[in-house]
Amino acid sequence: DGGITQSPKYLFRKEGQNVTLSCEQNLNHDAMYWYRQDPGQGLRLIYYSQIVNDFQKGDIAEGYSVSREKKESFPLTVTSAQKNPTAFYLCASSIVPALASYGYTFGSGTRLTVV
Amino acid sequence: AQRVTQPEKLLSVFKGAPVELKCNYSYSGSPELFWYVQYSRQRLQLLLRHISRESIKGFTADLNKGETSFHLKKPFAQEEDSAMYYCALPPISGGSNYKLTFGKGTLLTVNP
């Protein structure tokens, strides 16, 4: 089945630790995105990547880092510098030339909790 | 700048009543808007696209360029329609930022 897979589904982090959230897609999509979803604040863009080895900051990139070494993979690291990391994180992908026609495909999300 | 506004954070209706989720936008040109839906414990999924002029699960959305709106409507709400709904706007044609702009979402509750 083609799709976009996020893992783990639930993640617990201690204060001061870095954690990495996985996002893999087998849709052959060019672009991948990371969003954070908080109640009442909608979807906020953290980082996005249009091609391999290139990525851009979104609206709330501070305290996060990403890499795009393969077309299929776009892992997100939540660093200890992120002051309020507890949230639901969504990964998405799209076909770049057809974004306006087809939009995004989303993963099922990772819920990160700082303990 | 592109912007999407969903003025209602919460919307509650009774089963069988009409429902309208509002979406207003600011955009240079003729946009192709989207509605996404997130049911409880499920992933965000595309509900409908302006470009395809479709009706999905009884929902329709009409682009009103004069009012810069793309409201989502359903004549008779069902309990299974309870979900979070997001309106989204694609990038400007010819631009370099390949990302959607989302509204803050409306949580629809359909009461029995």
Side-chain angles (χ1 to χ4, degrees), chain A residues 3-73:
Chain A
I4 182 166
T5 303
Q6 289 186 243
S7 61
K9 195 170 182 177
Y10 299 97
L11 187 58
F12 296 90
R13 189 195 94 172
K14 291 184 179 179
E15 295 270 2
Q17 279 185 337
N18 292 354
V19 289
T20 297
L21 284 61
S22 170
C23 180
E24 304 274 334
Q25 54 99 359
N26 60 4
L27 299 166
N28 200 32
H29 283 179
D30 310 295
M32 297 186 74
Y33 310 81
W34 275 104
Y35 284 85
R36 173 176 169 146
Q37 187 179 29
D38 296 283
Q41 298 200 55
L43 299 172
R44 292 185 291 167
L45 182 65
I46 304 172
Y47 269 98
Y48 66 107
S49 167
Q50 295 168 197
I51 56 172
V52 174
N53 293 322
D54 187 44
F55 46 83
Q56 286 80 41
K57 291 182 179 180
D59 302 315
I60 55 164
E62 186 175 349
Y64 299 98
S65 66
V66 293
S67 63
R68 186 88 188 274
E69 297 176 3
K70 298 186 299 181
K71 189 175 185 179
E72 303 80 20
S73 179

Side-chain angles (χ1 to χ4, degrees), chain B residues 6-23:
Chain B
Q6 292 181 251
E8 302 142 328
K9 281 189 178 179
L10 304 170
L11 183 62
S12 183
V13 300
F14 285 103
K15 177 182 172 181
V19 62
E20 180 179 75
L21 292 94
K22 292 183 168 51
C23 173

